[in-house]
Amino acid sequence: MNSIRRVSPICSKCKQQNTYDIIPEVPNSPEYQLNEDDLIELHQFTVGNAKYHCIDCGHTWKKYRGKQPYEQIKAVYADVGGFPGPYFNVKIDLELGIVGIQSSQLEEDPRDVDSVRSITKEDMEWFLSELYKCDFVNWAEEYIMFALDGTHWSVRIEYDTHCEIKTGSNHFPPKWTKFCKAISKLSGSEFY
């Protein structure tokens, strides 16, 4: 835990780089946020959060603002599961207008159910608006709670020019349930 990754982007207000990414489980002051000894005591935390704070001017901002980043999403891959199951894997291709679904009760189950269905432009617009309500693009890179068993998940977002990967183990971003409901509704399949 002594080598936690921190992000220090340039402040969008004063243009200095005396900044840090905010860990929600820690009080938002530099004394707490940057003290790795306090982080060792945490049993759940986020890493690479997309909310930042500038020590010089006190400005706090998010990585992405507005709906424009959502318009650049080309595909979303989402999977979730844990021992002993079930496992869900969904690919939403917004360019082709299709959703691919794979689910099983056990990881080694050969009876996986595979299906692909088309989605309309209205479905895609609704889905992107639900992602916006979840502040989806501003989720942290990792959500971790130390436990042996439980639920593990990952989401890969493909944009025009790059992709971002968000992962978690027994710890979830805000609005995770809303995100799962949107995936379920769009895919016509369970996702939890």
Side-chain angles (χ1 to χ4, degrees):
M1 182 79 176
N2 290 335
S3 61
I4 188 167
R5 290 177 291 124
R6 296 307 300 249
V7 179
S8 297
I10 293 174
C11 176
S12 60
K13 187 173 183 181
C14 71
K15 307 301 183 210
Q16 299 300 312
Q17 198 166 3
N18 192 14
T19 63
Y20 59 84
D21 56 328
I22 298 170
I23 298 175
E25 296 84 7
V26 178
N28 188 13
S29 71
E31 296 80 27
Y32 286 102
Q33 288 284 331
L34 299 173
N35 185 357
E36 288 190 23
D37 292 337
D38 288 339
L39 298 178
I40 292 171
E41 302 299 319
L42 291 176
H43 70 282
Q44 100 181 14
F45 63 94
T46 58
V47 177
N49 201 20
K51 189 172 183 183
Y52 309 105
H53 181 79
C54 178
I55 296 170
D56 292 340
C57 71
H59 179 59
T60 299
W61 73 100
K62 289 183 177 181
K63 183 176 182 179
Y64 296 113
R65 295 180 66 186
K67 292 187 175 183
Q68 186 177 9
Y70 296 89
E71 295 166 1
Q72 297 171 353
I73 295 174
K74 298 299 178 194
V76 175
Y77 299 83
D79 61 78
V80 64
F83 182 78
Y87 296 90
F88 304 99
N89 187 324
V90 176
K91 177 187 177 187
I92 301 164
D93 191 320
L94 297 169
E95 281 190 309
L96 298 176
I98 58 172
V99 177
I101 307 143
Q102 181 180 24
S103 65
S104 68
Q105 286 304 110
L106 298 171
E107 194 170 22
E108 300 87 15
D109 191 350
R111 297 171 290 160
D112 288 351
V113 178
D114 293 320
S115 66
V116 176
R117 65 177 275 204
S118 296
I119 52 175
T120 65
K121 185 171 177 67
E122 292 79 23
D123 290 336
M124 289 184 266
E125 289 171 1
W126 171 84
F127 181 66
L128 290 174
S129 73
E130 292 299 297
L131 294 181
Y132 176 74
K133 292 175 190 174
C134 296
D135 200 20
F136 176 67
V137 297
N138 282 313
W139 286 359
E141 292 174 14
E142 293 180 76
Y143 292 83
I144 300 166
M145 177 185 283
F146 294 108
L148 294 177
D149 290 330
T151 303
H152 307 284
W153 61 271
S154 70
V155 174
R156 181 172 147 189
I157 312 164
E158 290 188 357
Y159 296 95
D160 288 334
T161 57
H162 66 287
C163 81
E164 292 182 351
I165 298 173
K166 324 280 188 177
T167 62
S169 178
N170 301 314
H171 183 37
F172 305 91
K175 309 274 178 115
W176 171 258
T177 303
K178 185 171 187 59
F179 170 73
C180 291
K181 287 179 181 177
I183 294 277
S184 293
K185 185 173 179 182
L186 187 70
S187 66
S189 176
E190 291 183 328
F191 187 89
Y192 57 89

